[in-house]
Amino acid sequence: MLAIAFTPGCEGEAEVDPCAVRCEQNALVTCDTEGVVIKTECGDQRCASDSPVAQCVPALALPCDPDDPPASRCENGRVVQCAPTAGYILAQACPAGAICAEDSTACRPAADVGCDRRVWSVLCINGERFECNGRGEVVVSAASCAEAG
């Protein structure tokens, strides 16, 4: 009969800090200020342990090099850029009342953005509804549509 013995730890192995931010399967593990471990499921997103700090990122997010980031762009009213703390290309909403327009790569007040009603689609971002009026102006109101992804 073969007997296998296990030892509690191997010499030279470092103990894992239970409060080190990390991924466990598809959950982000952190601690509160009192050292209590908090496990947050990433849900539709995925836990990225390869970013500078483990975090939940959109499932289809692509990695990027924060030291040599690709150019920023606008997509669905949000700024899409390499987030240095994430190491991933992420979409970020603009401040209230502002939107990222396709002819720019930065947030601008909605009143400064022109639009064409024939091709404009209503955007709902962070509780605000952005739509194109008959004068070719983007107007903002409280959201009355489902949050756009």
Side-chain angles (χ1 to χ4, degrees):
M1 180 186 293
L2 179 64
I4 300 176
F6 293 98
T7 57
C10 296
E11 191 174 312
E13 277 187 8
E15 284 191 35
V16 175
D17 176 2
C19 285
V21 178
R22 65 187 181 282
C23 292
E24 287 183 5
Q25 296 181 343
N26 199 38
L28 182 64
V29 179
T30 58
C31 284
D32 66 12
T33 56
E34 297 173 4
V36 176
V37 174
I38 300 170
K39 196 172 195 178
T40 306
E41 294 294 327
C42 289
D44 295 1
Q45 298 186 326
R46 65 183 168 87
C47 195
S49 59
D50 60 341
S51 62
V53 175
Q55 59 192 285
C56 297
V57 299
L60 299 177
L62 298 173
C64 60
D65 180 355
D67 294 328
D68 186 24
S72 297
R73 67 182 189 278
C74 291
E75 194 173 289
N76 295 324
R78 296 172 172 91
V79 178
V80 178
Q81 62 189 0
C82 180
T85 57
Y88 277 85
I89 298 171
L90 301 175
Q92 299 167 343
C94 294
I99 191 167
C100 189
E102 297 302 324
D103 62 344
S104 173
T105 58
C107 295
R108 299 189 327 208
D112 294 348
V113 177
C115 58
D116 182 344
R117 282 186 75 170
R118 295 171 296 172
V119 295
W120 181 272
S121 293
V122 172
L123 296 172
C124 289
I125 305 169
N126 288 348
E128 292 184 306
R129 179 183 175 105
F130 295 85
E131 51 190 326
C132 186
N133 69 16
R135 294 183 302 274
E137 304 163 330
V138 176
V139 292
V140 185
S141 59
S144 59
C145 55
E147 192 73 5

